[in-house]
Each structure stands twice: as structure tokens, then as C-alpha cells.
Amino acid sequence: MNFGERRESTASDILASFIAGQIVLADWRDALPKEPNKRRPAIVVEDTGLFGPNYPNVLLVPLADDPDLAVPGVSLAIEPTPENGCTKRCYALSHSITATSVRRLVTTGSRISADQLAEIRQQIGFAIGLE
């Protein structure tokens, strides 16, 4: 997967806002067994403006290219487009929503569509029993 232009985070990025639907690279390499344990793309799913600019975490849904990780009903297939920067089909793992420190993130110029973001948010609600 190629996710547009990448830029390493700096201390000033801690104060930056992340935009819902934006694709970032999250560094989860120190995870415990059965958690994401590598640098991988993820989608920002929090409501833009929900948290202040100094809030240290961002709500993310990881992206994976392994269809075996995509649980039906709580995962969304993402086809490659110039906007999302994907080079092959991948899956938004809505059931794996997580809060991640902004210090673990690298921004990209890539993003998903508003309709895809809405579907992921609906799947998150289903996964946690809201629907």
C-alpha cells in the first residue's frame, strides 16, 4: 500500500488536528501478542473538533490487506483510488477501533470518502452494541 506523501511527525504535530477520514501511518511495533504489531496505515475516525488540539490521542481504525482479518459486518473493503493511495484492496477493521498517541502517527496526504467514513462509524456502533 502506498499512502501518498509521508511526513514524519514533529513535536509541533502534537498540537495539530487530525481530520476524520484521513489516513495516517501508526507505529504499533511495541504491541503485545494479538495486537497490531507493526507500522501500518489507519483511518482517523474521531469527530473533527471533538477533542482539543492538545489532546494526546486520536481514535483510529487500522487498515489491513489480509482478508482473513476482515470480520463480516464490521469491516469495510477499501478499493484503490488516487485519493486513498491504496495500491490494492484493503480492509478497514472497524471492530478494532483504538485510541493511539499522536506521537505514534505519521500523516499522509491520503483519505477515504465521506461515505466510507460514515459506513465505518456505523460499523463501530454495531461492534460496540449501539445498533
Side-chain angles (χ1 to χ4, degrees):
M1 293 178 267
N2 175 18
F3 294 96
E5 184 179 323
R6 296 177 185 160
R7 183 176 64 80
E8 291 297 323
S9 296
T10 65
S12 64
D13 289 331
I14 302 303
L15 303 176
S17 292
F18 289 88
I19 311 280
Q22 176 183 17
I23 296 175
V24 297
L25 296 175
D27 186 352
W28 287 311
R29 288 182 280 201
D30 61 352
L32 296 172
K34 304 297 182 187
E35 292 178 330
N37 62 355
K38 59 184 175 180
R39 187 172 174 177
R40 69 185 314 161
I43 300 168
V44 175
V45 295
E46 71 184 44
D47 187 26
T48 302
L50 177 63
F51 303 109
N54 294 325
Y55 192 73
N57 297 322
V58 176
L59 295 175
L60 303 174
V61 165
L63 285 171
D65 58 7
D66 183 350
D68 292 334
L69 298 175
V71 177
V74 289
S75 297
L76 179 66
I78 306 285
E79 299 297 337
T81 67
E83 294 78 26
N84 65 31
C86 297
T87 57
K88 58 184 173 181
R89 175 185 280 178
C90 58
Y91 302 89
L93 306 179
S94 303
H95 60 287
S96 295
I97 185 170
T98 187
T100 300
S101 171
V102 296
R103 293 177 187 249
R104 292 182 176 269
L105 305 180
V106 175
T107 59
T108 74
S110 303
R111 63 178 299 103
I112 60 170
S113 72
D115 289 341
Q116 290 170 320
L117 177 61
E119 189 166 347
I120 290 167
R121 286 175 167 170
Q122 186 174 31
Q123 289 176 345
I124 291 166
F126 179 73
I128 63 172
L130 296 179
E131 298 186 27

